[in-house]
Amino acid sequence: MSALFCGLDVHKDSTYATILDCDGKIIDQKKIVNEKMLSFLSKYRIEKIGMEASNQVAPLYRQLSREGYHVSVSHPKKTRYIAEAKIKSDRVDSKAIAELVRLDALPPAYMPDEETATLREKVRRRAFLVRERVKLRVKIKNTLTYEGIKPPPDYGLFTQKGITWLHSLNLEPVESYLRIIAPLDEEIKNLSCHLKELASDDEEVKLLETIPGVGYYTALLVKSEIGGVARFADGDRLCSYAGLVPSTHASGGITRHGGITREGSRWLRWVMVEAAMTHVHKYDTSITKAYHRIAERRGRQVATVAAARKLLMCCFSVLKNRRPYHDQA
């Protein structure tokens, strides 16, 4: 029997599968509970499997990969075959994916290995916890404003002295927020210590830390989001992956550039903007000089994005060449 091709439209509890032969003829097509997918596929000589990227595909992708199947995950925005279908259903989607797999035309999406995925979850979790803590701190500041109370000017509001002062106010909303913040502080502290240990033994992280404005956390996030610099042919491709390149519209021989695309990894885009702000305010480099030139002409927001893009190009360079950062000013 000739090799077969399978397209999977994956959902949380079930998946619609379509199996095609090399001529595009449907061999089997049905809805299957995810737990029974392996037993279903084992009945056929599957050469390639395709599925569209979503939050639900990761467990099934890992399971099928461990069993030795050749699995490809498609980029949803690039899978125009599915997006332009007049009739949209699980059956149609799975057949369309199978057809793209058969034709070797499935636009791929990156799926990290288990080690990279684990690191990515940890750095993203820390960012989430910090953001939640920031929201609660803002709530406390808003409460003080509403009550007409000014914070002490001699020390930070959320230092040890500041928290003691907040408790002395005996404000019920403030006490409520502080009770929630306390365990968040502990989780963030523990997770930060663990990430620092990981960073201390990682050569790529050490290289990234030579770039001004890039600390251990930024370096770990960059590493986890990139998933291997060899995936990118050049720094421009990496910047495109981070959504830090301008959108382009060409028509009638006229090319217009708009704002950045904001496609790809929003986490990588966010951390590079944060690193760029630190870089231009604390260090005097060629990137800082370029930032000030652009800021004078086009404003700080555009200049910050430009600095983030240049900083990401530096990340690509140090990882690709395996050499510490050197300013070219």
Side-chain angles (χ1 to χ4, degrees):
M1 185 178 181
S2 61
L4 304 176
F5 306 91
C6 179
L8 303 177
D9 188 50
V10 184
H11 298 277
K12 184 177 180 181
D13 299 315
S14 63
T15 295
Y16 210 99
T18 298
I19 297 177
L20 303 179
D21 63 14
C22 58
D23 296 319
K25 179 182 176 182
I26 296 177
I27 302 301
D28 201 347
Q29 190 174 44
K30 65 173 62 175
K31 183 178 181 180
I32 306 151
V33 175
N34 289 341
E35 288 77 9
K36 297 183 179 180
M37 180 57 66
L38 280 176
S39 61
F40 169 74
L41 294 176
S42 65
K43 298 183 293 184
Y44 301 97
R45 183 168 169 256
I46 306 293
E47 181 174 317
K48 293 181 180 179
I49 298 174
M51 56 181 74
E52 192 177 36
S54 68
N55 291 334
Q56 290 82 25
V57 305
L60 188 56
Y61 172 83
R62 291 194 297 266
Q63 185 182 31
L64 294 176
S65 297
R66 290 193 197 107
E67 293 296 322
Y69 287 100
H70 183 285
V71 188
S72 298
V73 179
S74 74
H75 192 298
K77 288 189 177 181
K78 295 180 181 178
T79 315
R80 297 181 64 84
Y81 191 153
I82 298 174
E84 294 178 354
K86 293 183 178 179
I87 301 174
K88 192 98 166 81
S89 68
D90 295 346
R91 179 188 293 267
V92 171
D93 287 355
S94 66
K95 183 178 184 299
I97 294 171
E99 190 65 34
L100 289 172
V101 171
R102 184 180 73 87
L103 298 172
D104 198 23
L106 196 71
Y110 170 65
M111 292 295 289
D113 56 48
E114 291 195 33
E115 182 180 351
T116 303
T118 299
L119 176 60
R120 182 179 287 187
E121 188 280 326
K122 289 177 181 177
V123 294
R124 288 182 178 183
R125 183 178 0 132
R126 183 186 180 277
F128 169 78
L129 294 174
V130 170
R131 289 175 182 179
E132 293 303 302
R133 183 174 64 180
V134 168
K135 291 177 184 178
L136 292 166
R137 288 179 173 180
V138 169
K139 287 288 187 182
I140 290 175
K141 290 179 180 179
N142 290 343
T143 301
L144 297 182
T145 300
Y146 180 79
E147 297 291 341
I149 301 173
K150 291 185 178 181
D154 300 331
Y155 44 83
L157 188 58
F158 298 103
T159 61
Q160 190 171 0
K161 286 184 178 180
I163 292 174
T164 301
W165 178 80
L166 286 171
H167 282 305
S168 70
L169 299 176
N170 292 319
L171 293 174
E172 195 275 331
V174 171
E175 291 298 314
S176 176
Y177 294 134
L178 288 175
R179 283 194 297 270
I180 301 172
I181 287 175
L184 278 177
D185 283 337
E186 190 65 23
E187 286 295 327
I188 292 169
K189 179 182 176 181
N190 292 338
L191 188 53
S192 296
C193 289
H194 176 61
L195 291 174
K196 282 181 181 179
E197 290 179 5
L198 293 177
S200 65
D201 298 326
D202 194 303
E203 291 300 321
E204 290 188 336
V205 170
K206 290 178 181 178
L207 284 171
L208 289 170
E209 286 183 302
T210 63
I211 303 172
V214 175
Y216 83 92
Y217 177 76
T218 298
L220 283 172
L221 197 149
V222 169
K223 174 183 170 68
S224 68
E225 291 299 319
I226 289 178
V229 73
R231 295 201 301 123
F232 303 95
D234 50 46
D236 291 330
R237 301 285 179 89
L238 177 56
C239 290
S240 178
Y241 174 71
L244 285 171
V245 296
S247 56
T248 303
H249 177 73
S251 179
I254 299 174
T255 301
R256 294 185 178 88
H257 297 288
I260 58 173
T261 62
R262 295 184 180 275
E263 294 186 358
S265 172
R266 62 185 178 90
W267 292 94
L268 184 56
R269 182 167 61 254
W270 162 73
V271 83
M272 293 316 301
V273 169
E274 293 291 317
M277 293 172 67
T278 301
H279 183 102
V280 300
H281 287 99
K282 290 187 176 182
Y283 304 94
D284 184 18
T285 67
S286 58
I287 294 176
T288 305
K289 292 180 175 66
Y291 166 85
H292 289 299
R293 288 197 301 269
I294 296 171
E296 288 178 3
R297 293 184 288 109
R298 304 187 62 187
R300 292 182 179 180
Q301 185 172 356
V302 173
T304 301
V305 172
R309 184 163 58 247
K310 289 178 180 293
L311 212 55
L312 188 54
M313 292 288 283
C314 292
C315 292
F316 176 84
S317 178
V318 300
L319 291 175
K320 187 76 172 179
N321 300 318
R322 312 296 294 182
R323 294 178 181 174
Y325 169 82
H326 174 70
D327 186 35
Q328 298 178 350

